[in-house]
Amino acid sequence: MDPVASAVRLAVQEALHILSSSEDGGHIISTLRSLRRYLGETETQAPAEEQEEFSRTHFSTILRCLVGKLSPDWLDLLPDGQLEELWASFFLEGPADQAFLVLMESIEGAASPSFRLMKMAQLLARFLSAGRMAAVMEGQCGQQVGPASRLLQETLLTRVVGLPDRLGNRLQRETLAAFFPQNYFPLLGEEVLRVLQAVVDSLRGGLDCSISFLSQVLGKACVHGRQKEILGVLVPRLMVLTQGNCLWQRVCWRLVERVPDRAMEAMLKGLVEASPGPEVLSRLLGNLVTKSKKAQFVMTRKLLFLQYSCSTPMLQSLLGYLAMDSQRRPLLVQALKELLETWGSSSAIRHAPLEQQRYVSKALLICLAHLGEAELQASRDELLASLMEGVKSRLDNSLPPVRRLGMIVAEVASARLHPEGPPLKFQYEEDDLTREMLALAAPRPVADGPLEAGPPVAPVGGESPDQETVDSGGPQAGREGSDSELDSDDELVPYDMSGDGEQRSSKTPAYVRDCLEALTASEDWERWEAALRALEGLVLKSPAATREVSLELAKVLLHLEEKTAVAGFEGLRQRALVAVTVTDAARVAEYLAAQFYALNYSLRQRMDILDVLALAAQELSRPGRLGRASQRGPLGPGSQPSGATVPAWQAVVEERVRRKTRRFCKGSTGRAAAAGPNEFNVVAGYFFFPLLQRFDRPVVTFDLLGDDQLVLGRLAHTLGALMYLAVNTAVAVPMGKALLEFVWALRFHGDAYVRQGLLSAVSSVLLSVPAERLLADLPDELLEARSWLADVAEQDADEDCRLLAVKALLLLEKLRDRLLPLSSP
């Protein structure tokens, strides 16, 4: 063993023994003073290698021992608080990261309330006020690698940022003021600044440093919602430090670049809010948006389109930041295009809140003010098209604020995009919002870029109501020619447009997941309808993709409500749900059968479940289904369903070919039925048995044996259909036995529809189970069914019930010779 490590280990073991067992205050204090020599705090310091060994291996053990001895009696072993002060010095002067972790560990593990808990909390408050948190973070700025270092950093990160929450949970009403979030996070910001200053000094001295831990602290604090507290301290100081100082700018850029992606949005939003202008934001962020895809998405998409909580100064800072560097200006041009596209979207005008529309309009005007003439002219046609579409939609809107937004943006944007044309002017009332938006449109000088801003926009005043607005296409030409010149078209046969459908702006989804997203989250009703119409074909075309989301699809379709007037909505929904059930039969059928007895479903939904299960079972049991399913796909834009009318020209050609073709022998025109296994065989149990398990257990909103007789009758018919579709399968015998028990329990039901379902179920059993299996496995059930059927055929008040009973008796008649010996004593 290393002699240095051995010597330190022996000294520590002896000290631990004394601290654990001795009650002599003088002996204890001398032991503590001897240990302080390993911290380098006494005149007789231990050698550097011994200090390093003690700090790396034994310091945490000593601290935990000191925490364990903490009590009023132990501290009173020496007068005037001598022992307490020496005890606290180990936490305040030793390695900061280990001391902090032991402090947090002892507070979280102490009984509440207790003397030890409050003493440790007070010591932690001294730890923070002494600037030891900066030492904790500075210790992680060295070039550290390896799993152990990453684990330590993760542990420290969780406790550094989560300190107010953890201590608040433990101390509750006794929480010290230093641990309040409004006090702690500004202090944490000050400590981060101290560490950054140390990093800058180290870099000037030629030493390498890493500030990844500081970036993680900053990002996690922002994710916790404490942007205002920590950035309120950091931004003013960094604004001064980065002015004219390239090294500080590089350190600041690296600080924000290293923030994890999951915290990037919170950090950027806080910085935009805390920065007094685009110049400061540019110094703090650098070209972050060109280096980080996440930052680019947040700055150019999320803060502009998906949120609208930013104030106008924040919006000016954000867009001004994009305009201040030539590498970032293409993002500003792209943002203008997308803003105009959103501003001109009729769907956004109908569904977006007015506040969001104002927000987008302000952003659009700020972009126009920052961009130069050459940049705008490069995309003028595209921008004008979006502008005019939006103007039309907004002027047709019934809300005056929406129309006013359209007028203001149209005036400003047309003057910037088409300066050589006549000015576009509207009449509207001016208010504070109008004046603010016109002020935003004033061109700004370009700080970093070769392009100059466009010409200033003249103040817009009100015009008389009869003044015409200028459209994008110029004056309309007058119609030439007389009516007689148009009569020559009368001989033309009009084009048949009877088969034309409505052209929809939303594209048909190409994937199952796109349909799922459109049906659950989309507010674009055209896209919603297109997804519903395409879903069945996509499910049949992509069974593997469907199985990944089959249960989610089944849930969505089961709860889907008609939001618009969709022709054939119920049929589309049912066919899609049947297709999903067929594709992933076992899981979806089991899910639907469980939902049949679940709470908070309407009777309509429960009967829909029964219909879907019956239709899916019918499809699975059909011979040759696999071959047809592989050939079937989603109907494309130009394809026709199998039952569509053949075009007239094609019918004429086929008829001519048929007449001029001589056939000496005509074979069978019918096509032989495709053979194949009964796919329902392996999944029949998932369809059948869950429906039988809880029919006699009423729930709050559903009682099959009570008022919900209609659903009970439908259940009986469905069970009979499933039984019939399982003909000659391995599971047919247990299904038949269970179904006959169900029939026998309800045979005297008072509702005729229910009795009809029960009688149909008996016939299904007789048709589906082979005769030899009936006689071998169900002799008693058959005898009971025969006596009940005879009684129903003679005495039942419902004519349909009597007819069904007679049909079932005729099926039993085939087994009469074999049943007679069983009936004799």
Side-chain angles (χ1 to χ4, degrees):
M1 178 180 291
D2 184 5
V4 174
S6 178
V8 175
R9 182 175 62 84
L10 290 175
V12 170
Q13 287 181 348
E14 181 181 358
L16 288 173
H17 176 72
I18 295 172
L19 293 174
S20 302
S21 59
S22 177
E23 298 295 333
D24 184 353
H27 198 188
I28 291 174
I29 201 167
S30 64
T31 302
L32 292 176
R33 286 171 178 168
S34 68
L35 287 175
R36 281 176 56 83
R37 60 190 291 269
Y38 292 110
L39 301 178
E41 299 295 337
T42 62
E43 296 180 358
T44 58
Q45 299 181 15
E49 58 270 16
E50 292 187 5
Q51 294 183 32
E52 183 180 354
E53 174 67 19
F54 177 81
S55 299
R56 183 178 66 251
T57 308
H58 303 289
F59 183 63
S60 296
T61 305
I62 294 294
L63 294 183
R64 291 188 177 93
C65 178
L66 293 176
V67 171
K69 296 300 296 181
L70 182 62
S71 66
D73 295 337
W74 190 77
L75 293 178
D76 289 341
L77 292 177
L78 288 174
D80 301 329
Q82 299 178 48
L83 185 56
E84 181 177 358
E85 193 62 29
L86 185 59
W87 168 84
S89 67
F90 280 82
F91 293 90
L92 299 176
E93 298 170 5
D97 54 352
Q98 298 183 53
F100 175 70
L101 290 177
V102 173
L103 281 171
M104 293 295 294
E105 173 188 311
S106 61
I107 291 173
E108 294 174 358
S112 177
S114 65
F115 171 82
R116 179 178 297 173
L117 175 63
M118 293 309 301
K119 278 293 182 183
M120 300 306 299
Q122 293 167 4
L123 181 58
L124 180 58
R126 288 182 60 187
F127 184 92
L128 296 178
S129 63
R132 298 290 288 165
M133 187 59 75
V136 171
M137 294 186 289
E138 187 176 351
Q140 305 305 312
C141 289
Q143 296 292 337
Q144 301 177 0
V145 294
S149 298
R150 287 193 291 270
L151 180 59
L152 175 62
Q153 286 193 356
E154 188 63 32
T155 304
L156 284 172
L157 178 65
T158 302
R159 283 164 172 75
V160 166
V161 180
L163 185 146
D165 295 334
R166 291 171 176 266
L167 268 67
N169 290 335
R170 296 294 297 134
L171 300 174
Q172 297 184 2
R173 294 181 180 273
E174 303 297 327
T175 303
L176 304 180
F179 305 142
F180 292 165
Q182 60 269 30
N183 297 329
Y184 174 75
F185 283 102
L187 180 143
L188 186 61
E190 294 284 353
E191 301 294 80
V192 170
L193 283 169
R194 291 179 58 186
V195 179
L196 288 176
Q197 182 64 62
V199 169
V200 170
D201 294 340
S202 298
L203 293 174
R204 285 173 177 157
L207 300 177
D208 292 335
C209 292
S210 170
I211 58 174
S212 296
F213 185 74
L214 295 180
S215 300
Q216 295 180 51
V217 170
L218 175 61
K220 200 172 186 70
C222 292
V223 168
H224 280 217
R226 297 299 171 182
Q227 303 101 314
K228 184 176 294 186
E229 288 87 348
I230 192 168
L231 292 176
V233 172
L234 284 174
V235 170
R237 293 286 302 278
L238 291 175
M239 178 177 64
V240 175
L241 292 169
T242 57
Q243 188 169 9
N245 192 314
C246 297
L247 182 57
W248 265 103
Q249 287 185 13
R250 286 178 53 203
V251 170
C252 191
W253 295 348
R254 183 59 60 90
L255 177 69
V256 295
E257 288 172 10
R258 295 287 184 174
V259 171
D261 282 351
R262 62 181 179 274
M264 188 66 74
E265 178 185 350
M267 185 271 297
L268 287 175
K269 189 173 181 181
L271 273 177
V272 172
E273 184 176 6
S275 300
E279 297 82 4
V280 174
L281 194 61
S282 183
R283 290 208 305 270
L284 298 183
L285 294 181
N287 284 334
L288 178 65
V289 291
T290 64
K291 301 176 182 179
S292 168
K293 293 293 184 182
K294 179 69 175 182
Q296 185 178 124
F297 172 76
V298 172
M299 296 288 278
T300 63
R301 294 291 303 173
K302 198 155 192 179
L303 294 182
L304 291 180
F305 300 98
L306 304 181
Q307 297 180 2
Y308 52 97
S309 58
C310 295
S311 62
T312 302
M314 291 173 60
L315 201 54
Q316 290 176 305
S317 295
L318 190 157
L319 296 171
Y321 160 75
L322 296 178
M324 290 195 68
D325 187 90
S326 58
Q327 296 183 29
R328 303 193 292 262
R329 289 185 71 83
L331 297 176
L332 184 66
V333 177
Q334 183 63 30
L336 175 61
K337 294 179 181 179
E338 294 175 353
L339 283 168
L340 260 179
E341 183 179 353
T342 301
W343 185 83
S345 170
S346 59
S347 177
I349 295 173
R350 290 195 305 268
H351 300 107
L354 182 59
E355 285 299 321
Q356 186 174 11
Q357 297 190 44
R358 289 174 178 167
Y359 183 84
V360 172
S361 300
K362 291 179 181 179
L364 199 157
L365 295 179
I366 295 172
C367 285
L368 287 171
H370 280 293
L371 289 173
E373 186 68 27
E375 292 170 307
L376 293 175
Q377 294 304 315
S379 306
R380 186 173 76 167
D381 294 340
E382 180 182 353
L383 298 176
L384 277 176
S386 300
L387 173 68
M388 291 307 166
E389 184 177 354
V391 170
K392 180 182 182 302
S393 299
R394 290 182 180 275
L395 293 181
D396 291 342
N397 195 278
S398 60
L399 297 177
V402 176
R403 294 199 300 272
R404 186 185 306 173
L405 285 177
M407 296 175 187
I408 296 172
V409 174
E411 288 181 348
V412 175
S414 63
R416 293 300 314 279
L417 297 174
H418 200 264
E420 65 275 10
L424 182 63
K425 294 183 180 296
F426 297 92
Q427 181 183 13
Y428 50 83
E429 296 180 1
E430 290 192 7
D431 54 9
D432 293 340
L433 176 64
T434 304
R435 286 186 284 271
E436 178 190 4
M437 295 186 68
L438 292 176
L440 293 176
R444 290 167 173 76
V446 181
D448 184 8
L451 303 174
E452 297 183 355
V457 180
V460 180
E463 295 294 331
S464 59
D466 59 344
Q467 178 151 356
E468 295 180 356
T469 60
V470 180
D471 60 15
S472 60
Q476 182 178 3
R479 179 173 299 180
E480 299 178 356
S482 62
D483 294 340
S484 60
E485 296 177 358
L486 302 177
D487 294 339
S488 59
D489 291 340
D490 291 344
E491 297 178 0
L492 298 177
V493 179
Y495 185 78
D496 183 11
M497 301 178 65
S498 60
D500 289 3
E502 179 184 357
Q503 184 178 5
R504 301 182 182 274
S505 59
S506 297
K507 295 183 179 179
T508 301
Y511 301 99
V512 173
R513 287 186 181 272
D514 293 345
C515 292
L516 179 61
E517 178 185 355
L519 293 177
T520 53
S522 177
E523 294 185 357
D524 185 345
W525 306 130
E526 293 182 359
R527 182 181 174 219
W528 183 88
E529 180 180 347
L532 180 60
R533 294 187 181 278
L535 182 56
E536 179 190 9
L538 292 175
V539 166
L540 296 175
K541 180 182 179 182
S542 308
T546 301
R547 292 187 190 100
E548 295 178 1
V549 293
S550 57
L551 294 183
E552 292 88 342
L553 270 175
K555 182 177 180 180
V556 168
L557 290 170
L558 188 58
H559 292 82
L560 197 63
E561 297 180 354
E562 187 174 7
K563 299 180 180 179
T564 59
V566 179
F569 168 78
E570 290 297 335
L572 291 170
R573 183 175 72 97
Q574 185 185 75
R575 290 196 300 273
L577 192 50
V578 169
V580 173
T581 308
V582 169
T583 303
D584 195 2
R587 290 203 306 160
V588 178
E590 190 174 25
Y591 167 77
L592 292 177
Q595 298 307 301
F596 179 74
Y597 291 106
L599 292 171
N600 301 324
Y601 280 91
S602 65
L603 298 184
R604 177 69 265 173
Q605 287 175 305
R606 299 183 199 276
M607 289 193 288
D608 287 344
I609 290 174
L610 295 176
D611 291 342
V612 168
L613 289 176
L615 291 171
Q618 181 180 3
E619 179 65 21
L620 287 168
S621 64
R622 184 172 293 131
R625 190 193 74 83
L626 288 176
R628 288 194 305 274
S630 63
Q631 297 173 4
R632 188 186 308 176
L635 296 179
S639 61
Q640 294 180 342
S642 58
T645 304
V646 178
W649 64 267
Q650 186 175 345
V652 172
V653 171
E654 291 179 354
E655 178 63 20
R656 290 178 178 176
V657 172
R658 186 185 65 81
R659 288 180 179 180
K660 293 184 177 296
T661 302
R662 297 182 61 187
R663 292 181 176 87
F664 297 96
C665 178
K666 290 188 178 181
S668 175
T669 58
R671 183 177 297 177
N678 185 348
E679 293 183 70
F680 187 57
N681 179 24
V682 293
V683 295
Y686 295 101
F687 284 72
F688 184 84
F689 292 110
L691 291 177
L692 280 174
Q693 290 178 350
R694 296 171 55 190
F695 76 92
D696 56 346
R697 302 176 194 172
V699 294
V700 177
T701 58
F702 186 46
D703 185 5
L704 281 175
L705 302 183
D707 296 333
D708 300 325
Q709 300 174 356
L710 176 62
V711 184
L712 179 61
R714 183 69 68 85
L715 173 62
H717 283 87
T718 302
L719 291 171
L722 296 176
M723 182 75 243
Y724 179 76
L725 293 171
V727 58
N728 294 328
T729 61
V731 76
V733 174
M735 286 175 61
K737 185 176 180 64
L739 186 53
L740 290 178
E741 291 177 357
F742 171 77
V743 171
W744 192 252
L746 300 173
R747 65 189 185 280
F748 297 123
H749 199 281
D751 187 80
Y753 181 64
V754 175
R755 295 199 304 276
Q756 293 170 15
L758 299 175
L759 292 165
S760 299
V762 173
S763 298
S764 297
V765 174
L766 297 175
L767 290 170
S768 303
V769 183
E772 60 274 10
R773 299 299 303 274
L774 286 171
L775 295 175
D777 299 326
L778 306 175
D780 297 334
E781 287 83 351
L782 290 179
L783 290 174
E784 293 172 350
R786 183 182 185 188
S787 61
W788 172 62
L789 290 171
D791 185 66
V792 173
E794 295 177 358
Q795 301 180 13
D796 198 283
D798 185 76
E799 181 179 359
D800 292 334
C801 289
R802 295 196 301 270
L803 180 60
L804 290 171
V806 170
K807 292 181 179 179
L809 283 171
L810 291 175
L811 293 174
L812 274 172
E813 195 67 23
K814 298 179 181 180
L815 303 173
R816 182 182 59 177
D817 296 338
R818 300 181 184 180
L819 287 174
L820 286 177
L822 297 176
S823 61
S824 61

